[in-house]
Amino acid sequence: MASPVPIPAPTRDDAAGPRARLAIPVLAYCGILMAVMQTVVVPLLPDLPRLTGASPAAVSWMVTAALLSGAVLTPVLGRAGDMYGKRRVLLLSFTLMAAGSVICALTSQIGVLIAARALQGAASSVVPLSISILRDELPAERRGSAIALMSSTVGIGAALGLPAAAMVIQYADWHTMFWVTAALGATGVALIRWAVPESPVREPGRFDVPGALGLAAGLVCLLLAVSQGGQWGWGSARVVGLFLTAVVVLALWWWRQLRAERPLVDLRLVSRPRVGLSHVAALLTGFAFYANSLVTAQLVQAPRASGYGLGLSIVQTGLCLLPGGVTMLLFSPLSARISAARGPRVTLALGAAVIAAGYAVRIADSRDLWMIMVGAAVVATGTTLAYSALPALILHAVPAGQTASANGVNVLMRTIGQAVSSAAVAAVLVHHTSLVGGAPVPTLHGYLLAFALAGAIALAACAVALTIPGDTEPDTEPDPEPESESESGPDPRCEATGPARDRSPATGDGAMEGA
C-alpha cells in the first residue's frame, strides 16, 4: 500500500511554545558564563599565595586544573550527550560548574580550591553540546547564525571575565567573586531546564568506559607536560616521562578505538579529510587566538620604564580587551552569511587570514594604546570567523547522532592549541628579557617574536582550511546507513521536502508522523 504524502511537522519552536524561542539566548548565556569561568581567577593569581598561604607554583594549578579537566571531559561529555541526551548532560556540566563555584566561595585551602576548579572545568563541554542541540532543534535557515553566535561566546566571555572579576576583587572580598559565579551558574541551570528542549537524536550503544579512561590518562600526561614544561624544565625527567607516557597511552587508546564496536571517538570519521583537517585547523586556530590575549595582557601592564609598556592596571587591561569581545558579538552574524554564501571552509580560511593580518598590525605598532586595541580587535574578528566555521564544517561531515562528540573533539583540539600557545609564548618571552628596576621584564622584541609566531601559525591554519574538501567534493567514504529504521530512525541527514526540510528525526514534540 502506497504511503500518502507526509504532512509537514511543526517546527520545534511551534511545538514547544514561546520558551523554545529563548533557547538560543539561554545557550549563548551559558557559553559566555563558561568562558568567564576560565578567566575569573587570572586577576587573583598574584595575590593568591598571600591569601591562601600556598606557593606560587601551587596557585598556578588553579588555572591548570580547569584546563586539564576541561580537555578531558569535553569529548567524554560530548559522547555521553550523544548517547543519553544533550540537555541532560548540559545540565550536569553546568551543575558541576556551579558546585565548584560554591566550594571556592567557602574555602581558602589551596587543595580544595584546585579540586573545585577541576569541577568547573566540566563546563567546557557547554559549547559543543549547545551547538549539537541547535543543529537538532533549529531549521536550516536559523541554524548558521545561531551556531556562529554560540561559537563566538568563547571570546565574548573571555573579554568580559577579566575586567568584571578584577572590579569585584578590587571592591569586595575575593570569595564574593565565586558567590557571584555560583549564582550565575544556578541561574543557568534553571534557564536550561526551562527553555532548552531535549534533543531526540540519540546514538545507541554502551558507553566506552575504557576508552574514556585511556583518553583521560593520555591527555592529562600530554597537557600536564605542555603546561608545566616551562616551570619544571623541558628536559627534566618529569616532563620527558610525561611526554613518553602520553605517546604510549594515546597510541594504545587509538589502537583500541579502531577496534571497539562503539568507540568513545569514531576515528573512522577523523580519517575523513573534511573532519580530520578541520581538527588540525582547530588546533592551529586555538594557538593563534590564545596568543592575542596572553601577549596583550602582559604588554600593556609592562612598566613604562621598559620603554614600551603602558603600566596599566588589571582592570584597565581587561577594558582594553573588551572591544575584542564586542567585535566577536557583532561579527558573528557576518560569519554565518559568509558560510551560507561561500561555504564554511572559505570562512575558516578568511578568518585565519584576518588573524594573521591582526598580528601584522601588532608588529607594525605595539606602543600606542589605540593601535594595540585595533590589532587585538582585528585578531578577535578573525577568530569569530574561524570559530564559527569550525563547528559548521563538523556538522556537515558527521552523522547527527555523533555531532556532540565530534564537536567535543574539535573543542579539545582548540584547547590543546591554547595550551601549546601558552607554553610557546612563555618560552619566547623568557628568552627575551631585560632588567627594569631590578626585575626581569620581557623585551619588545620578544613580544614581536610572539606576534610573528602566532601570525605564522594563523597562516598555516589558512593553508589547512583551503585543503579541506568543499561541500561539492566527496569525502573518502560515504556516511554509514542506519541499521534499520526501527532501531535508528530515519537518516537525520536526509532532507524532506517542504517546510519540514532539514529537520532531525524526532521521537517527541515535532516528530513527523506517516499515515
Side-chain angles (χ1 to χ4, degrees):
M1 178 179 177
S3 299
V5 177
I7 300 173
T11 63
R12 299 289 295 183
D13 284 352
D14 294 336
R19 288 184 298 175
R21 299 187 183 96
L22 296 175
I24 296 174
V26 166
L27 292 175
Y29 166 84
C30 295
I32 291 172
L33 184 55
M34 177 276 297
V36 167
M37 291 304 307
Q38 295 180 342
T39 57
V40 290
V41 299
V42 173
L44 269 176
L45 291 178
D47 296 326
L48 274 178
R50 173 180 57 83
L51 296 171
T52 62
S55 66
V59 164
S60 69
W61 279 89
M62 290 280 286
V63 176
T64 305
L67 170 70
L68 289 177
S69 67
V72 170
L73 291 175
T74 295
V76 172
L77 293 178
R79 177 59 177 160
D82 284 334
M83 296 179 66
Y84 305 120
K86 303 174 185 73
R87 175 179 178 268
R88 180 181 300 174
V89 177
L90 182 62
L91 281 168
L92 172 64
S93 63
F94 229 64
T95 301
L96 290 174
M97 187 199 74
S101 292
V102 172
I103 295 172
C104 287
L106 292 173
T107 185
S108 298
Q109 298 295 322
I110 190 63
V112 180
L113 288 169
I114 292 171
R117 285 289 293 168
L119 283 179
Q120 291 178 332
S124 297
S125 62
V126 165
V127 172
L129 287 168
S130 298
I131 288 173
S132 186
I133 290 173
L134 293 174
R135 174 190 175 157
D136 296 343
E137 298 299 322
L138 294 180
E141 63 271 14
R142 294 179 57 196
R143 191 180 301 152
S145 59
I147 290 174
L149 173 62
M150 199 67 223
S151 301
S152 67
T153 58
V154 177
I156 297 170
L160 293 175
L162 193 62
M167 284 188 282
V168 170
I169 293 166
Q170 183 172 340
Y171 298 108
D173 179 76
W174 64 279
H175 291 96
T176 303
M177 178 183 68
F178 292 109
W179 284 119
V180 171
T181 57
L184 294 174
T187 301
V189 171
L191 290 174
I192 293 170
R193 291 182 62 86
W194 181 69
V196 178
E198 178 60 271
S199 168
V201 182
R202 303 285 177 88
E203 178 78 3
R206 180 177 297 178
F207 188 79
D208 184 11
V209 176
L213 295 176
L215 180 63
L219 288 177
V220 166
C221 291
L222 175 63
L223 292 175
L224 192 58
V226 170
S227 60
Q228 299 297 311
Q231 183 176 337
W232 293 346
W234 292 105
S236 66
R238 277 192 293 182
V239 171
V240 173
L242 285 170
F243 275 126
L244 291 177
T245 303
V247 170
V248 172
V249 171
L250 291 176
L252 291 173
W253 174 82
W254 188 284
W255 176 82
R256 187 191 179 281
Q257 290 294 289
L258 289 174
R259 287 156 179 78
E261 183 179 356
R262 294 289 183 180
L264 179 74
V265 178
D266 190 345
L267 296 178
R268 290 167 294 183
L269 290 177
V270 177
S271 66
R272 301 183 190 181
R274 196 176 297 175
V275 179
L277 291 174
S278 297
H279 290 335
V280 174
L283 175 73
L284 298 174
T285 305
F287 184 109
F289 153 72
Y290 203 56
N292 182 45
S293 300
L294 286 174
V295 178
T296 301
Q298 295 182 62
L299 189 149
V300 298
Q301 291 182 77
R304 293 184 179 274
S306 64
Y308 64 86
L310 302 176
L312 300 186
S313 67
I314 189 67
V315 175
Q316 293 170 323
T317 299
L319 294 175
C320 288
L321 296 174
L322 189 58
V326 175
T327 299
M328 297 188 78
L329 178 62
L330 295 178
F331 274 84
S332 61
L334 174 63
S335 63
R337 293 191 185 98
I338 296 174
S339 293
R342 300 293 182 181
R345 69 167 182 163
V346 173
T347 309
L348 175 58
L350 177 62
V354 172
I355 292 174
Y359 284 118
V361 173
R362 305 302 305 274
I363 293 172
D365 188 352
S366 284
R367 294 176 181 271
D368 295 326
L369 179 59
W370 74 275
M371 281 298 291
I372 292 173
M373 295 175 67
V374 167
V378 172
V379 173
T381 300
T383 303
T384 302
L385 298 175
Y387 273 18
S388 68
L390 285 168
L393 284 166
I394 297 297
L395 295 183
H396 290 173
V398 303
Q402 299 186 44
T403 52
S405 57
N407 269 299
V409 173
N410 198 257
V411 172
L412 167 64
M413 297 304 291
R414 281 163 32 185
T415 302
I416 294 175
Q418 292 172 11
V420 175
S421 175
S422 177
V425 168
V428 169
L429 297 183
V430 165
H431 285 83
H432 295 83
T433 60
S434 62
L435 292 178
V436 177
V441 175
T443 64
L444 180 59
H445 180 65
Y447 285 118
L448 298 182
L449 283 178
F451 290 142
L453 175 61
I457 296 296
L459 290 177
C462 179
V464 170
L466 293 174
T467 64
I468 298 174
D471 291 339
T472 57
E473 303 173 49
D475 254 329
T476 55
E477 59 182 90
D479 287 340
E481 294 294 330
E483 296 175 5
S484 68
E485 191 162 306
S486 61
E487 284 188 49
S488 306
D491 189 348
R493 287 158 288 141
C494 293
E495 295 182 350
T497 57
R501 184 180 184 273
D502 235 339
R503 301 298 301 159
S504 299
T507 57
D509 294 338
M512 181 181 296
E513 298 185 8

